Amino acid sequence: MFPRKWLLTVWLCAVVFFASAGFAQALGLVSDGQGGYYASDNQDFLLIDKSSMGPEHDMWSLLDLSTCSIGTWNGQRVVFGKVYMVMDAADSCTDGPSFGYTFFSNGVYHAPGGSYQNISGSNAYRAAKVIFDRASGSSSAGNKSNGAVSKTLLPDEEIAIGGICPYTATPEYVRSIYGEPDKLSKGNNHDGYYYEHWTYGNSFELWFWEFKGQLSVQSVKITAANGLVTPKGIKVGSRESEVMKKYGNPYLPKNGSLWYKGRNGCDFVFGLKNGLVTSIGAGWSY
């Protein structure tokens, strides 16, 4: 008779295998037979990463190939694209939260937060070729590509509002410039991290998160012409054309805004209405 512990291990592996297989089938992905899932030319999504969330649940990171476009990063030819996090086989590929990723021709991708990882599967180079072919329009489904557009990740020092840079500015630094906030709320987010939310007037707000015992700005936003500007002089009320002139093509268009990204995954978003900037947000994540 087999040991009970061994049987339990086999059962768990079977559950994970069949759950994963069912998930892949539900999402319309094709297996390469070696643990990787790649989209063929007539499919819209490509598996970038998969992580177990328990014996019956996986989280799949899926690249929407229709969002892929050619760009540049520090002189390198790269592809920019939107990746969705899907956690339930009943969900569609676009039901989860999405983030902007940068892909390199060697199968490495740059994720929000600054990490570099290899594309999941047995052949990351093959997956990268699918991505670059789709972005350049050389695949049979190339008409889904946005085409070749030059887009560059912004230097971190260019992402700031009113002298406040996300990820580096501390409460002490903010107080030294703007004094005590008009309102301050605090608590713990859904991941258990301590945060503080500061507001000045009704058009300037900052979110601080605690990491390793240190509070720092995670996001800053302005929603009115209150005198605060970006390092390149853009403010609420600036023209959309002026933003494009100063910062170039956006990383991805998103919900009627110009959405840029920094090298460490920091978002820099200009809200628009009738061709004018109505809000500016910087940090993680807009």
Side-chain angles (χ1 to χ4, degrees), residues 63 90 122 170 202 224:
L63 170 64
S122 59
T170 64
N202 57 8

Side-chain angles (χ1 to χ4, degrees), residues 23 26-27 29 45 47 49-51 53 57-63 83-99:
F23 201 178
L27 296 174
L29 300 173
F45 292 90
L47 178 67
D49 190 26
K50 180 179 67 174
S51 57
M53 307 298 289
H57 296 281
D58 287 335
M59 181 173 76
W60 295 55
S61 302
L62 298 169
L63 170 64
V83 173
Y84 289 88
M85 308 300 177
V86 185
M87 298 181 65
D88 192 318
D91 292 341
S92 72
C93 292
T94 59
D95 280 344
S98 63
F99 304 93

Side-chain angles (χ1 to χ4, degrees), residues 130-145:
V130 171
I131 295 170
F132 274 77
D133 284 351
R134 179 64 67 90
S136 64
S138 60
S139 70
S140 61
N143 60 320
K144 294 183 178 180
S145 170

